[in-house]
Amino acid sequence: MGKTGRVLSVSVAAFVASVVLLLFGPLQQPLVHAQENQECLACHGAPDFSVKGKNGKEISLYVNAKQLANSIHAGFSCTDCHSDATQIPHLKPPKRVSCAQCHEDQYAAYAKGIHGRAHLSGMKDAPTCTSCHGTHNIEAPDNPASTVSKINQPQTCAKCHGDPKFNRKHNIPVFNPTQAYLHSIHSQELLKGNDKAATCSDCHEAHDLLPASNPDSKIYRKNVPETCGRCHYKQFKQYIDSIHGQALLEGANNAPNCTDCHGEHAIKKVTSKTSPVSPENVSMQTCARCHANETINEKYGIPNDKVLSYENSYHGLAVQGKSTIAANCTSCHGVHNIYPAWDPRSTVNVANLDRTCGKCHPGASKRFASIPVHQTRSLIEAKAESIITKIYILLIISVIGSMFLHNFLIWLQAVIRKYRKLSGEPSLTRFNKNMIIQHFILFLSFTTLAITGFALKFPDAFWVKMLHSIGMTEIIRKTIHHTAGTILIAASIYHFFWLFLTRRGRVELRYMLPVAKDVSDAVHSVEFYLGLRDTKPQYDKYDYTEKAEYWALIWGTVIMSITGLIMWFPVISANLFGGWVLPIATLFHYFEAILATLAILVWHFFFAIFHPSEYPMSLVGITGKVSCESCKKHHGRWYHKLMHREPEKVRRMFDVTGQCEELEEYDEE
């Protein structure tokens, strides 16, 4: 072939190659990328491929080929992002990838936000693009598998904001917003498949997140209604035109916005019992936070008695009783469309009240609607109320006081008759003077401790307020409580030595020790009270009820004394045992006090006062004596011991010689 022919052949070949490249070059590009990626994955595709960092820890360089192939960047070459990795293998680590080379707008927004500013300032744990979107497994945001899809955003944000240590380190005030959000109505709707339900970025934005203190932030106090209004537009329009919305726009920082009433992350459905805007909670929990606040009321000229007067009305009392149909604040004033009473649009405007009341009271007239709900009274009405109140207080004191005095005289006469009868009958000494004094000191100190202790725990109780009104300040209460506690502890120590160091004490302890017969006596007694037996058992000096009460008293006194001293001297206690001891002691002290008080009221008072055989009251705690007849009936076993088995020196303790007759019959069972 001549020179001309060779030139022609090369020209034709070049033309054909140009056409092929022009037509099929774009199809060749993925193949080239795939070939490059395979070269990278030859090393990075090995799961154990890693290097040691500066701190000596292994850093994985593994890239999951399957995740990369399924990601949104599947058609890209590794070097499209790692552009400085020009040699394979590369000895020098490539620089950190900059997403801004493709996503300029998103990066600009990120750089303006709180995350971007933190990262650019050098904060090492500030979130970057990969913190939220991932690295080689990035999916489109509308893909449910994406880490930033609506359903997955809470968990992605929780990697930082769900970590208490991270929140404390960066002074983030909201402790665990993700956990709260997961219990919200928004989260529940999202899990049901409602893709319109709000998630993190709907309120906080995606890239240009700004702190709540920034006026440009979507969660800035004044901007919150508009942010919520993107989904709840109808409610937003009503709110922004209301007295609350207008006050917020005018710069009143105390004016409530959406989150003040509904909450922030843990927003519940209105019908949920735990929602702050549910019918049973909205008045006492939500509206009262502002309208019972004297500082806010004084600032905006709102009467201070609105919440209290509502609480004392039928509506308020019914709501406090957990009624969900009784009128609450929103029933009358509206929800988002609240206006001042002078505004013609207000549901509590005089012209509209009959219609508002008529929602619950069909047929309500203007006259019915004039009944004051918040007990707002004229001067004449207030004067009339004052006079009526004074008249009835006087009537209550005089009438009920007379009734009480009348019945007290009847009761006292019955006690006197019982005492005289006991004085004229053969009797024996069940308690000596020492035991009577110990019982009196115990009664006085225990009663004082119960009153002064529960006065601290329940300061709003009516009887505590009465004590406050007669001058029982906290200092006086504490002093009385500590004094009574000291007396109880001293009396308990004395009783311990009396039991072991005196002859009478040792005898009483022997009688008080539990024995197997007490169990059978208890069973026998219950069977008698159920009608399964015809006779009651004969008891020793102390029956099973008295022994149970005595040893419960010993146990309770020990618990109350130890925990009381820990609470009295918290610094010494904490230094000796640790900070945990005070809350544990407080809990034991409180519940033991309830248990002991109820035991006295339900158990001891019944057997000492209200038991049919003892009414109007047992006198043994006052006189120490019990009639022989009563002893035979209830303590026959003990009576039999005194008359036949106990030595003379023991019988003399109980003053039985020559006073009581012997038992005619005795069942030794």
Side-chain angles (χ1 to χ4, degrees), residues 25-26 34 72 165 172 220 236 269 436 438 442 452 484 492 544 579:
I72 197 170
K165 292 182 180 178
I172 298 174
Y220 181 66
F236 165 70
K269 196 173 182 179
I436 293 172
Q438 288 188 62
L442 174 65
T452 55
S492 302
Y544 67 93

Side-chain angles (χ1 to χ4, degrees), residues 123-400:
M123 187 183 292
K124 293 183 179 180
D125 55 357
T128 62
C129 306
T130 58
S131 303
C132 302
H133 292 273
T135 53
H136 301 96
N137 59 334
I138 299 175
E139 301 283 357
D142 57 356
N143 186 329
S146 170
T147 54
V148 294
S149 66
K150 290 179 74 76
I151 196 72
N152 291 329
Q153 274 187 43
Q155 297 303 332
T156 298
C157 297
K159 289 190 294 185
C160 294
H161 293 280
D163 182 357
K165 292 182 180 178
F166 181 89
N167 291 333
R168 284 195 294 268
K169 178 181 178 181
H170 298 291
N171 297 318
I172 298 174
V174 183
F175 177 67
N176 196 338
T178 307
Q179 192 64 29
Y181 172 81
L182 292 176
H183 291 90
S184 71
I185 184 65
H186 290 151
S187 175
Q188 293 170 13
E189 286 296 310
L190 203 60
L191 291 173
K192 290 178 183 177
N194 182 359
D195 59 358
K196 294 183 179 179
T199 191
C200 309
S201 61
D202 290 311
C203 301
H204 295 273
E205 295 298 341
H207 297 97
D208 55 339
L209 291 87
L210 298 174
S213 58
N214 190 319
D216 293 329
S217 170
K218 294 295 186 293
I219 56 170
Y220 181 66
R221 182 167 187 79
K222 193 180 289 188
N223 299 335
V224 164
E226 187 176 351
T227 299
C228 297
R230 287 190 283 182
C231 295
H232 306 282
Y233 184 72
K234 177 182 176 182
Q235 290 80 0
F236 165 70
K237 289 297 292 181
Q238 290 179 338
Y239 166 83
I240 209 64
D241 199 34
S242 73
I243 188 171
H244 291 153
Q246 289 298 304
L248 187 70
L249 293 178
E250 291 298 325
N253 290 329
N254 300 114
N257 62 22
C258 311
T259 57
D260 288 314
C261 299
H262 293 273
E264 295 174 343
H265 298 94
I267 298 174
K268 304 292 178 66
K269 196 173 182 179
V270 174
T271 54
S272 170
K273 290 184 178 180
T274 57
S275 171
V277 293
S278 66
E280 55 263 58
N281 296 332
V282 67
S283 297
M284 308 305 175
Q285 289 186 20
T286 303
C287 299
R289 282 205 307 268
C290 295
H291 290 279
N293 186 309
E294 291 187 11
T295 302
I296 293 177
N297 290 337
E298 182 179 352
K299 182 176 181 179
Y300 298 109
I302 303 171
N304 273 321
D305 62 346
K306 291 300 183 183
V307 173
L308 183 61
S309 60
Y310 168 78
E311 289 177 351
N312 292 330
S313 70
Y314 166 76
H315 294 151
L317 293 171
V319 168
Q320 291 174 68
K322 302 304 179 184
S323 171
T324 58
I325 59 173
N328 56 51
C329 302
T330 61
S331 305
C332 303
H333 293 272
V335 180
H336 301 98
N337 58 330
I338 299 173
Y339 299 99
W342 51 261
D343 192 312
R345 297 170 296 176
S346 172
T347 52
V348 294
N349 183 274
V350 174
N352 302 325
L353 265 178
D354 55 338
R355 289 194 297 274
T356 300
C357 296
K359 291 188 295 183
C360 296
H361 303 280
S365 62
K366 295 284 185 184
R367 184 170 292 181
F368 174 85
S370 67
I371 299 173
V373 175
H374 288 284
Q375 302 299 318
T376 303
R377 301 175 300 279
S378 65
L379 188 61
I380 296 176
E381 290 171 332
K383 188 68 175 177
E385 181 183 313
S386 176
I387 293 172
I388 294 170
T389 301
K390 289 176 181 177
I391 290 173
Y392 265 93
I393 288 176
L394 183 62
L395 276 174
I396 290 169
I397 293 173
S398 58
V399 173
I400 303 303

